[in-house]
Amino acid sequence: MRQLAFIFIIYATYISLGLPDSLLGVAWPEIEGELHVAYSAAGIISMTIAICTVISSLQAIRITQKIGTGKLVLGSVLLTVIGLIGFAFTQNFFLLIVAALPLGFGAGAIDTSVNDYVAANLKAHHMNWLHAFWGVGATLGPIIIGVALDNHLSWRYGYLIIGSIQLTLVFILFFSLPLWKKYQQKVSKISEESTTSLVSVWKQTGVILSLLSFVFYVGLEGTIFLWGSSYLIDVKSLSTATASFIISIFFASITLGRIISGFITFLISNQKLLIISQIILLIGVLTVAMGKGSILYGGFILIGLGCAAIFPTMIHETPRRFGKRNSGAIIGFQVAAGYVGITVLPPLLGVLFQGFSMNLLPIFLGVFVLILLGATILIEKEKSKGNYEQ
């Protein structure tokens, strides 16, 4: 019973991670109108959050070794509360940037520390379900903002409501600190045994390939988030409403796919699940590239189902691939690499699409998938040779 309660808290923490992630895009039309800033200024906010997330991801394991996972997660969720309340009460754009700082720092630390805990201590199905709960949070966030706006309330009420949900979780985490004690002792033991520097971890066989996988996978997701609707409208001649609905189906299929993948892990290994997922993803990209009309629905469903298990499975494979002693530091790099991918690749591709053609979208997506597939095969090949630490 105690273990189930602890797992529930971990899942709730990941819902809280997803809640703020999708707010800015939904609320921004109201924010920029009220604060009288350029529409493109949202990019400054998102970049600030992303940079802070990368920094905290790289420092999370070091802090965990000093204060423990429970205290780090508690402090990180409290930072997101401060950021959300800051958004709700700010009266100018500069203070929005200030409020973005704790949001980013909190998100990166939660992402790395919780992923490291689940990868080291729980089965693969928990990792997939954990990331499905992120999808629940990312879905609920816009709904809460939408309900506030539909009831003629300010976007600020949406941020306050979500901040209140986060604050409730802070109290739950505070009273659950004893449940993290066992893991804290385990981390301390591993830390004492490990004399591996971050530089040597970075140089470990396969780590670069793993980091590239995260850059291109999360970059692929971000590219679809940012440009998928534009591709459907400009290239496939769909209406804005239809394109938006197809992209929403893509989000839903990722969440559903992660729930299904959790059950699939009882039947097949992580390695096979990764390969199968990447093949489904490639088929989905090809379907979107060549399809028209209702076939596009199926194409984006396949892309979503293909994406579903990739990120959580790559995280969960880290201790097996590179050893539990190094997994915390490597997961920090992996989370940071993912944020680099989503920060750099979608805007870069946007420049290329503007200069050439939006028809290039499925070509780049296909290349990203092939890079993922190649990296996965090479990492497993090196693993089979016994070139990784245990």
Side-chain angles (χ1 to χ4, degrees):
M1 191 67 182
R2 190 175 179 180
Q3 177 74 4
L4 285 175
F6 188 39
I7 290 173
F8 169 78
I9 290 168
I10 292 173
Y11 285 173
T13 301
Y14 232 67
I15 291 176
S16 81
L17 179 65
L19 276 170
D21 281 359
S22 50
L23 295 184
L24 185 62
V26 178
W28 186 250
E30 298 289 326
I31 295 174
E32 64 93 18
E34 185 176 322
L35 300 184
H36 306 292
V37 294
Y39 202 84
S40 59
I44 299 173
I45 303 294
S46 62
M47 285 282 286
T48 301
I49 294 172
I51 291 169
C52 293
T53 303
V54 169
I55 293 170
S56 63
S57 298
L58 295 175
Q59 298 299 318
I61 298 304
R62 184 179 300 175
I63 298 171
T64 299
Q65 291 170 349
K66 293 181 178 179
I67 67 172
T69 304
K71 290 179 181 178
L72 176 60
V73 173
L74 171 64
S76 298
V77 177
L78 184 58
L79 282 176
T80 67
V81 173
I82 294 169
L84 290 166
I85 293 175
F87 264 76
F89 286 102
T90 186
Q91 297 298 320
N92 62 66
F93 180 71
F94 174 75
L95 290 178
L96 277 184
I97 297 175
V98 174
L101 297 175
L103 269 182
F105 285 129
I110 295 169
D111 213 353
T112 300
S113 58
V114 175
N115 272 303
D116 180 44
Y117 172 81
V118 175
N121 296 276
L122 299 177
K123 300 293 185 181
H125 58 275
H126 285 297
M127 183 65 83
N128 281 280
W129 293 339
L130 180 75
H131 285 264
F133 275 89
W134 173 88
V136 171
T139 303
L140 285 175
I143 291 174
I144 291 170
I145 292 287
V147 169
L149 295 176
D150 286 343
N151 285 278
H152 308 291
L153 298 172
S154 168
W155 57 272
R156 298 175 186 275
Y157 283 94
Y159 272 85
L160 278 175
I161 291 168
I162 294 168
S164 300
I165 294 172
Q166 302 286 74
L167 186 58
T168 302
L169 181 61
V170 167
F171 287 106
I172 293 172
L173 287 168
F174 177 77
F175 288 109
S176 71
L177 283 177
L179 295 176
W180 297 87
K181 190 175 181 181
K182 181 179 178 181
Y183 175 58
Q184 179 176 346
Q185 292 170 342
K186 183 176 180 180
V187 169
S188 299
K189 183 179 178 182
I190 293 172
S191 177
E192 289 168 4
E193 292 174 354
S194 177
T195 57
T196 309
S197 69
L198 290 180
V199 174
S200 60
V201 167
W202 182 272
K203 291 180 178 179
Q204 188 176 332
T205 305
V207 168
I208 297 296
L209 286 173
S210 176
L211 297 182
L212 282 175
S213 297
F214 279 85
V215 168
F216 284 104
Y217 170 72
V218 182
L220 179 146
E221 257 194 16
T223 299
I224 295 171
F225 294 169
L226 189 59
W227 301 114
S229 184
S230 297
Y231 173 80
L232 291 172
I233 294 167
D234 297 344
V235 177
K236 300 298 182 177
S237 302
L238 299 183
S239 68
T240 302
T242 302
S244 299
F245 182 65
I246 290 176
I247 297 301
S248 69
I249 288 176
F250 164 71
F251 281 112
S253 63
I254 289 180
T255 302
L256 179 61
R258 284 175 174 166
I259 295 171
I260 294 171
S261 296
F263 291 103
I264 291 175
T265 59
F266 289 106
L267 305 174
I268 64 175
S269 66
N270 278 346
Q271 304 92 286
K272 289 181 180 178
L273 180 58
L274 268 180
I275 297 294
I276 291 170
S277 297
Q278 289 161 7
I279 291 172
I280 292 173
L281 177 53
L282 186 59
I283 293 171
V285 170
L286 292 173
T287 302
V288 168
M290 297 184 291
K292 294 181 179 180
S294 59
I295 293 176
L296 295 169
Y297 287 85
F300 273 91
I301 289 173
L302 285 173
I303 291 176
L305 293 175
C307 284
I310 293 176
F311 188 96
T313 303
M314 288 195 301
I315 289 281
H316 195 264
E317 278 289 270
T318 303
R320 186 192 70 87
R321 285 174 167 179
F322 308 113
K324 287 187 177 182
R325 186 176 66 171
N326 298 323
S327 65
I330 293 172
I331 287 173
F333 282 127
Q334 289 169 337
V335 172
Y339 280 101
V340 168
I342 200 170
T343 303
V344 174
L345 290 179
L348 179 61
L349 290 180
V351 174
L352 292 174
F353 296 153
Q354 184 175 348
F356 295 95
S357 171
M358 186 61 75
N359 283 294
L360 294 173
L361 176 66
I363 296 174
F364 279 105
L365 294 181
V367 170
F368 292 173
V369 179
L370 290 175
I371 291 171
L372 274 173
L373 190 57
T376 300
I377 292 170
L378 287 173
I379 290 171
E380 286 307 314
K381 186 177 179 181
E382 292 298 322
K383 175 66 180 176
S384 66
K385 292 178 181 179
N387 288 338
Y388 299 148
E389 292 186 28
Q390 298 303 317

